[in-house]
Amino acid sequence: MTDWERVKLELKEAGYSGFEFDSGDTAVSELSGEWVAGQIAREGALKHENQPRLIRILDAVSGDGGAVDAAPENAPESIRNIATEHGLEVVIISVSTDEARIALCDPPKR
């Protein structure tokens, strides 16, 4: 059983406040069950200049900055470490010019 309050506290301590708990099923196939989600600034591998060339082109022409390689390993390392510590998965839900919406969620039941 995940201690979601502890996960939110660790995210806050890592500089990522504003993560909120939610649950249920979503249109994002990797996101169901229980999770915390929040907005973060596009940083590290999520920054426009750190994306592969094709993604940078799509990001520029999309107008809203919504193109990004949404692989979980592109999330900030501190968020990935918190997820790993709690047995959670990282899902990049959406991206805008300056921000990304990221969730830490229960692994899918197989």
Side-chain angles (χ1 to χ4, degrees):
M1 188 89 188
T2 302
D3 182 350
W4 293 108
E5 290 303 317
R6 179 75 187 154
V7 172
K8 288 181 2 183
L9 177 63
E10 289 179 23
L11 287 164
K12 185 175 182 178
E13 289 171 350
Y16 302 104
S17 59
F19 274 74
E20 296 294 328
F21 175 80
D22 205 346
S23 64
D25 291 319
T26 70
V28 179
S29 61
E30 299 89 5
L31 191 59
S32 65
E34 297 182 332
W35 66 86
V36 291
Q39 295 285 126
I40 67 164
R42 279 181 72 168
E43 61 183 67
L46 291 175
K47 285 181 126 180
H48 173 82
E49 59 270 19
N50 295 332
Q51 292 290 304
R53 183 182 316 259
L54 178 59
I55 299 293
R56 285 194 317 262
I57 293 167
L58 293 171
D59 197 33
V61 298
S62 72
D64 65 356
V68 70
D69 179 352
E73 58 269 14
N74 287 333
E77 183 177 8
S78 55
I79 290 177
R80 292 191 328 261
N81 290 342
I82 292 167
T84 299
E85 177 183 328
H86 292 276
L88 302 172
E89 294 195 2
V90 176
V91 176
I92 299 173
I93 301 170
S94 64
V95 178
S96 69
T97 304
D98 299 321
E99 296 182 315
R101 183 157 178 78
I102 293 184
L104 279 67
C105 62
D106 286 329
K109 303 221 182 334
R110 301 192 198 274

